[in-house]
Short mmCIF file of all heavy atoms in Angstrom, two decimals:
data_model
loop_
_atom_site.label_atom_id
_atom_site.label_comp_id
_atom_site.label_asym_id
_atom_site.label_seq_id
_atom_site.Cartn_x
_atom_site.Cartn_y
_atom_site.Cartn_z
N LEU A 262 -1.44 121.90 7.61
CA LEU A 262 -0.39 121.17 8.33
C LEU A 262 -0.70 119.68 8.45
O LEU A 262 0.20 118.85 8.56
CB LEU A 262 -0.23 121.77 9.74
CG LEU A 262 0.92 121.20 10.56
CD1 LEU A 262 2.25 121.79 10.10
CD2 LEU A 262 0.74 121.46 12.05
N TRP A 263 -1.97 119.36 8.44
CA TRP A 263 -2.42 117.99 8.71
C TRP A 263 -1.87 116.97 7.70
O TRP A 263 -1.69 115.79 8.00
CB TRP A 263 -3.95 117.99 8.71
CG TRP A 263 -4.60 116.80 9.33
CD1 TRP A 263 -4.00 115.68 9.83
CD2 TRP A 263 -6.01 116.63 9.52
NE1 TRP A 263 -4.96 114.83 10.31
CE2 TRP A 263 -6.19 115.39 10.14
CE3 TRP A 263 -7.13 117.41 9.22
CZ2 TRP A 263 -7.46 114.90 10.47
CZ3 TRP A 263 -8.38 116.92 9.55
CH2 TRP A 263 -8.55 115.69 10.16
N GLY A 264 -1.61 117.39 6.47
CA GLY A 264 -1.24 116.43 5.42
C GLY A 264 0.07 115.70 5.69
O GLY A 264 0.99 116.27 6.29
N PRO A 265 0.18 114.43 5.24
CA PRO A 265 1.38 113.63 5.52
C PRO A 265 2.66 114.15 4.86
O PRO A 265 3.75 113.78 5.28
CB PRO A 265 1.03 112.24 5.00
CG PRO A 265 -0.11 112.42 4.08
CD PRO A 265 -0.84 113.66 4.52
N ALA A 266 2.53 115.03 3.83
CA ALA A 266 3.75 115.60 3.24
C ALA A 266 4.28 116.74 4.11
O ALA A 266 5.38 117.24 3.89
CB ALA A 266 3.47 116.11 1.83
N HIS A 267 3.51 117.16 5.10
CA HIS A 267 3.90 118.32 5.94
C HIS A 267 3.88 117.86 7.41
O HIS A 267 4.58 116.93 7.78
CB HIS A 267 2.93 119.46 5.63
CG HIS A 267 3.30 120.81 6.17
ND1 HIS A 267 4.51 121.10 6.74
CD2 HIS A 267 2.58 121.98 6.21
CE1 HIS A 267 4.53 122.37 7.11
NE2 HIS A 267 3.37 122.93 6.80
N GLY A 268 3.03 118.45 8.23
CA GLY A 268 3.05 118.13 9.67
C GLY A 268 2.57 116.73 9.99
O GLY A 268 2.91 116.18 11.05
N GLY A 269 1.78 116.15 9.09
CA GLY A 269 1.29 114.80 9.34
C GLY A 269 2.38 113.75 9.20
O GLY A 269 2.17 112.58 9.50
N ALA A 270 3.59 114.19 8.78
CA ALA A 270 4.67 113.22 8.56
C ALA A 270 5.15 112.59 9.86
O ALA A 270 5.62 111.45 9.86
CB ALA A 270 5.84 113.89 7.84
N ASN A 271 5.04 113.30 10.99
CA ASN A 271 5.55 112.69 12.24
C ASN A 271 4.71 111.48 12.63
O ASN A 271 5.24 110.46 13.06
CB ASN A 271 5.69 113.72 13.37
CG ASN A 271 4.45 114.56 13.58
OD1 ASN A 271 3.37 114.25 13.10
ND2 ASN A 271 4.61 115.66 14.32
N GLN A 272 3.38 111.58 12.43
CA GLN A 272 2.52 110.42 12.69
C GLN A 272 2.86 109.31 11.69
O GLN A 272 3.06 108.15 12.06
CB GLN A 272 1.04 110.83 12.56
CG GLN A 272 0.10 109.65 12.60
CD GLN A 272 -1.38 110.03 12.76
OE1 GLN A 272 -1.72 111.19 13.00
NE2 GLN A 272 -2.25 109.07 12.66
N ALA A 273 2.93 109.70 10.40
CA ALA A 273 3.20 108.70 9.35
C ALA A 273 4.56 108.04 9.57
O ALA A 273 4.74 106.85 9.29
CB ALA A 273 3.14 109.38 7.98
N CYS A 274 5.53 108.81 10.08
CA CYS A 274 6.88 108.27 10.27
C CYS A 274 6.89 107.19 11.36
O CYS A 274 7.46 106.12 11.16
CB CYS A 274 7.83 109.41 10.62
SG CYS A 274 9.50 108.83 10.86
N LEU A 275 6.26 107.48 12.50
CA LEU A 275 6.26 106.47 13.56
C LEU A 275 5.49 105.21 13.10
O LEU A 275 5.91 104.09 13.37
CB LEU A 275 5.68 107.01 14.87
CG LEU A 275 5.95 106.07 16.04
CD1 LEU A 275 7.42 106.10 16.45
CD2 LEU A 275 5.08 106.37 17.24
N GLU A 276 4.41 105.44 12.39
CA GLU A 276 3.64 104.29 11.89
C GLU A 276 4.50 103.45 10.94
O GLU A 276 4.48 102.22 10.97
CB GLU A 276 2.36 104.77 11.19
CG GLU A 276 1.31 105.20 12.22
CD GLU A 276 0.15 106.04 11.67
OE1 GLU A 276 0.12 106.31 10.45
OE2 GLU A 276 -0.70 106.45 12.47
N MET A 277 5.32 104.15 10.13
CA MET A 277 6.20 103.42 9.20
C MET A 277 7.28 102.64 9.99
O MET A 277 7.54 101.47 9.68
CB MET A 277 6.88 104.43 8.26
CG MET A 277 7.90 103.81 7.34
SD MET A 277 8.95 105.08 6.59
CE MET A 277 10.06 105.47 7.95
N LEU A 278 7.87 103.29 11.00
CA LEU A 278 8.92 102.60 11.78
C LEU A 278 8.36 101.35 12.46
O LEU A 278 9.00 100.31 12.52
CB LEU A 278 9.52 103.55 12.82
CG LEU A 278 10.31 104.74 12.27
CD1 LEU A 278 10.70 105.70 13.39
CD2 LEU A 278 11.56 104.29 11.52
N ARG A 279 7.13 101.47 12.94
CA ARG A 279 6.49 100.31 13.58
C ARG A 279 6.18 99.22 12.57
O ARG A 279 6.30 98.04 12.85
CB ARG A 279 5.19 100.75 14.26
CG ARG A 279 5.45 101.46 15.56
CD ARG A 279 4.14 101.80 16.17
NE ARG A 279 4.29 102.45 17.45
CZ ARG A 279 3.40 103.31 17.92
NH1 ARG A 279 2.33 103.60 17.24
NH2 ARG A 279 3.58 103.85 19.10
N GLU A 280 5.78 99.65 11.37
CA GLU A 280 5.46 98.67 10.32
C GLU A 280 6.74 97.92 9.92
O GLU A 280 6.72 96.71 9.74
CB GLU A 280 4.87 99.39 9.12
CG GLU A 280 4.33 98.46 8.07
CD GLU A 280 3.90 99.23 6.81
OE1 GLU A 280 3.13 100.20 6.92
OE2 GLU A 280 4.39 98.86 5.73
N ILE A 281 7.85 98.65 9.84
CA ILE A 281 9.13 97.98 9.52
C ILE A 281 9.43 96.99 10.64
O ILE A 281 9.79 95.84 10.40
CB ILE A 281 10.27 99.00 9.36
CG1 ILE A 281 9.98 99.94 8.19
CG2 ILE A 281 11.61 98.29 9.15
CD1 ILE A 281 10.98 101.08 7.98
#
Side-chain angles (χ1 to χ4, degrees):
L262 186 77
W263 196 356
H267 191 9
N271 50 15
Q272 171 168 351
C274 180
L275 191 73
E276 284 164 1
M277 176 195 77
L278 293 172
R279 283 182 178 151
E280 188 187 308
I281 298 176

